[in-house]
Amino acid sequence: MIWDSIVGQEEAIAQLREAIRNKELSHAYLFFGSGGTGKQLAAKAFAAAVNCPDQGCAKCLNCHKILNGLHPDVVFFEPEGNFFTIEQVRELQHEVGLKPFETKTKVYVLDEVDKMTREAANSLLKTLEEPPPHTIFILLTSNPDGLLPTVISRCQTVRFKPISKTTLANHLAEQCRLEQEDAELFARLSGGLLSKAIELATSDSKHDWRKSILTIIEGMSLSDSLDLADAAEGIVTEVKKSLDKLKKEQKKEIEGAQEIALNPAHTKKIKSVLNKKHKRRLGREERRGYDEALFVFSSWYRDLTVLRETNNPDLLVNVDCLDILKQQSMQISSANCQKAVAVIEETKRCFRMNVNPQLAMETMLFELKSLNQAG
């Protein structure tokens, strides 16, 4: 069945399957929960199940097209840069007015809806209040507090919880053919996020990335200003480098699309659409790279706090670094660990506000060193 690939979300999936089985579908759903818990995959599965004669067989043509993002009646929208704009909502409203091409129910999936401008959210609200027939909206967010209460009230809410470490470790061990010890480590490092756990389990570059950041953290107290500046530059450079492969893939996509264009005007239109799409993706992937780096920093100071307060290694994230954590936990106070986490969160906010990455990272490292030395 189409639901089998969604791990650790039994309650959410049961809610959706029951709605389909009882033919009690809402016109709008709000899938909320941390990033990486399976909301996007569940949205595709739900869209497929709604339009599948067998309620999600994963084998029919509709299921295949929807799961691979190729179905004309299942449309995905995402923010333009940092925001979901009024122009995008108007485009959505135009699409909504069109009849389905191949299925009985059109499905519109709106990702990161908490990033809507107020104007866009109010415009969307009008559509949700007077939904056209045979149409379902699926709104995805990791921050429901960022939505207008009136938008939430028009939706059936479906919560996606962080996956338990045991469930996630067992899934990794089985699907990725890992030793149980490795699977448990990746489950801890992922924070209960399936997509991140799979990346850690299947990508050597993710291991190397984490190790390089841990090296910076471990040597921070002995680093001088030049060392910290070099470390900040190294992190920024690595994030930029990770985008090179994506840029090559995007270039090939444009070249391939141009080859099948009908005429010069069509070529220009395709190139414009793809360039906008690629710019958004590059921006998201860059922010994601910095978020991954900052997660390693914050998980380290969280672990130091845990050791100082509980002395329980079973609660650690970076359990493979236990000896170093024990040593550092004797050198920094719990209060300073908490201040360090606050510094990291502020740095994360700076990246979202498009502050110069080099400057933001340098500032963070200098402040963390100061807290380490304060004891």
Side-chain angles (χ1 to χ4, degrees):
M1 290 294 289
I2 208 162
W3 306 102
D4 295 343
S5 58
I6 302 170
V7 179
Q9 301 296 344
E10 290 78 12
E11 291 181 19
I13 299 311
Q15 179 181 347
L16 296 172
R17 296 186 71 175
E18 183 177 4
I20 297 172
R21 185 168 52 251
N22 296 336
K23 298 182 179 180
E24 296 177 346
L25 294 171
S26 172
H27 70 282
Y29 290 85
L30 175 64
F31 290 7
F32 69 97
S34 301
T37 49
K39 297 188 297 296
Q40 289 189 359
L41 184 57
K44 285 185 178 181
F46 186 48
V50 166
N51 287 298
C52 172
D54 294 323
Q55 299 183 1
C57 66
K59 297 178 181 178
C60 69
L61 185 58
N62 272 343
C63 284
H64 176 76
K65 283 186 176 182
I66 292 171
L67 289 179
N68 287 281
L70 301 173
H71 204 291
D73 294 328
V74 178
V75 185
F76 282 76
F77 286 84
E78 58 192 13
E80 290 273 6
N82 292 329
F83 300 102
F84 230 120
T85 65
I86 181 64
E87 288 76 15
Q88 287 181 278
V89 175
R90 287 172 180 160
E91 180 185 348
L92 167 67
Q93 290 166 335
H94 172 73
E95 288 273 351
V96 166
L98 304 176
K99 294 181 179 180
F101 290 96
E102 299 178 8
T103 58
K104 60 181 181 179
T105 303
K106 296 183 74 173
V107 181
Y108 295 91
V109 182
L110 285 69
D111 199 5
E112 297 185 280
V113 288
D114 53 286
K115 294 184 178 179
M116 279 195 174
T117 64
R118 192 169 191 84
E119 186 183 20
N122 284 324
S123 184
L124 175 65
L125 181 61
K126 295 177 182 178
T127 303
L128 296 180
E129 288 174 337
E130 300 177 2
H134 312 299
T135 302
I136 293 176
F137 299 93
I138 305 176
L139 281 56
L140 312 181
T141 182
S142 57
N143 178 29
D145 292 338
L147 293 176
L148 292 177
T150 44
V151 169
I152 297 176
S153 68
R154 298 299 187 274
C155 301
Q156 182 75 40
T157 57
V158 184
R159 183 186 178 196
F160 285 75
K161 302 176 181 178
I163 306 168
S164 74
K165 293 184 179 66
T166 300
T167 299
L168 192 50
N170 290 340
H171 177 77
L172 291 175
E174 180 180 351
Q175 296 297 319
C176 301
R177 299 180 181 179
L178 298 176
E179 295 293 332
Q180 192 66 29
E181 182 178 353
D182 291 334
E184 289 176 1
L185 173 61
F186 297 143
R188 288 173 182 266
L189 295 175
S190 72
L193 305 182
L194 176 61
S195 58
K196 186 172 182 178
I198 292 175
E199 279 189 342
L200 289 167
T202 57
S203 172
D204 289 338
S205 64
K206 295 295 180 182
H207 294 290
D208 295 338
W209 178 229
R210 174 174 173 261
K211 287 178 182 176
S212 65
I213 294 172
L214 288 176
T215 299
I216 294 171
I217 296 172
E218 292 167 15
M220 190 179 301
S221 296
L222 300 177
S223 299
D224 58 25
S225 298
L226 183 59
D227 292 332
L228 294 179
D230 287 343
E233 183 179 5
I235 293 173
V236 172
T237 300
E238 188 62 31
V239 171
K240 298 288 188 183
K241 189 170 70 174
S242 69
L243 301 177
D244 290 343
K245 181 180 178 181
L246 179 57
K247 289 178 181 178
K248 291 178 181 178
E249 292 173 356
Q250 291 178 340
K251 183 179 179 181
K252 287 183 180 179
E253 184 178 7
I254 290 177
E255 292 172 349
Q258 288 176 326
E259 289 177 1
I260 62 173
L262 302 177
N263 52 52
H266 190 200
T267 299
K268 185 177 180 181
K269 176 65 174 178
I270 288 176
K271 191 172 181 179
S272 175
V273 170
L274 288 178
N275 279 333
K276 288 181 180 179
K277 170 188 168 185
H278 293 165
K279 185 177 180 180
R280 291 196 302 267
R281 175 108 187 260
L282 285 169
R284 287 199 308 274
E285 289 301 315
E286 183 174 4
R287 289 192 296 273
R288 184 176 172 223
Y290 290 123
D291 282 346
E292 287 179 353
L294 295 178
F295 176 81
V296 179
F297 280 98
S298 61
S299 69
W300 186 265
Y301 286 97
R302 173 203 171 276
D303 284 350
L304 291 175
T305 303
V306 168
L307 278 179
R308 287 191 62 89
E309 298 298 322
T310 72
N311 197 31
N312 186 353
D314 292 337
L315 300 177
L316 300 180
V317 173
N318 301 283
V319 67
D320 55 330
C321 302
L322 179 58
D323 290 341
I324 300 172
L325 284 166
K326 283 183 175 179
Q327 179 182 346
Q328 287 200 4
S329 69
M330 303 299 294
Q331 301 168 358
I332 182 170
S333 67
S334 296
N336 277 358
C337 287
Q338 293 169 14
K339 289 178 182 178
V341 172
V343 167
I344 296 163
E345 287 300 312
E346 175 61 19
T347 306
K348 188 182 296 185
R349 190 188 70 82
C350 288
F351 282 122
R352 289 172 182 159
M353 299 299 292
N354 293 324
V355 173
N356 180 280
Q358 176 79 21
L359 178 61
M361 195 63 70
E362 282 185 16
T363 301
M364 183 190 79
L365 293 181
F366 285 127
E367 291 187 24
L368 292 180
K369 179 182 178 180
S370 177
L371 291 169
N372 284 9
Q373 292 176 331

